[in-house]
Amino acid sequence: MATKETVWELEEHSIGKHLVLCNYLNAWLPIMSKYNQRLLIIDGFAGPGEYKGGQLGSPILALDALIAHKHQNLLSPEVVFYFIEKDPKRCDHLKSLIVQRYPSLPANVKVHITCGKFDSHMGELLDDCSGIVNLAT
């Protein structure tokens, strides 16, 4: 869907995506936390974080899945969220929504919001991640 609005109506396909995302994170966050010191969660098309009807978007759903998880005591590694959004107004909306909704995040949770195109920033993001082996060298 191509819309020029900062926030728009929630569409049926996004409801399905959100259901899959929440179920996946609820199931796998404790498992991934058990075997890793750091989790990286990337949303390459983050959007504004909410819809016109007040429904939550994928960045907020992902943060909520971590913060409100029923096995919170098992989720001790550093969890880094990268939200990439190309539209500056949506990016600003997401930033303000996160600040408003989460005035203080747990110490192990880091949030990075990048305004720009996914394909332009993904390589840079991966280069910044420690422990990545460059197979091209």
Side-chain angles (χ1 to χ4, degrees):
M1 179 194 78
T3 180
K4 294 184 180 187
E5 299 175 272
T6 302
V7 294
W8 58 91
E9 296 292 332
L10 177 62
E11 294 186 7
E12 196 75 26
H13 68 276
S14 294
I15 294 170
K17 177 186 86 168
H18 295 158
L19 182 61
V20 169
L21 174 66
C22 291
N23 285 330
Y24 180 86
L25 290 174
N26 284 326
W28 282 95
L29 280 170
I31 295 166
M32 293 184 296
S33 295
K34 183 176 179 180
Y35 299 105
N36 297 284
Q37 296 295 314
R38 183 178 189 215
L39 302 179
L40 176 61
I41 299 173
I42 302 168
D43 188 338
F45 305 91
E50 66 181 349
Y51 293 90
K52 272 189 178 177
Q55 304 94 333
L56 302 176
S58 54
I60 304 302
L61 291 171
L63 281 163
D64 281 355
L66 174 70
I67 293 168
H69 200 283
K70 66 181 178 181
H71 296 295
Q72 184 62 35
N73 60 322
L74 301 175
L75 306 176
S76 60
E78 179 183 40
V79 183
V80 182
F81 290 89
Y82 279 93
F83 300 127
I84 303 170
E85 171 51 47
K86 71 177 181 177
D87 184 275
K89 288 181 182 177
R90 292 177 189 159
C91 201
D92 289 343
H93 190 90
L94 178 60
K95 286 177 187 176
S96 65
L97 183 61
I98 289 174
V99 167
Q100 174 188 359
R101 191 171 174 92
Y102 312 101
S104 63
L105 289 166
N108 66 319
V109 177
K110 309 289 185 249
V111 175
H112 301 277
I113 301 171
T114 299
C115 191
K117 290 185 175 184
F118 172 76
D119 58 348
S120 300
H121 289 280
M122 193 59 201
E124 176 185 313
L125 186 153
L126 291 175
D127 288 343
D128 288 343
C129 295
S130 62
I132 303 271
V133 177
N134 185 352
L135 299 176
T137 59

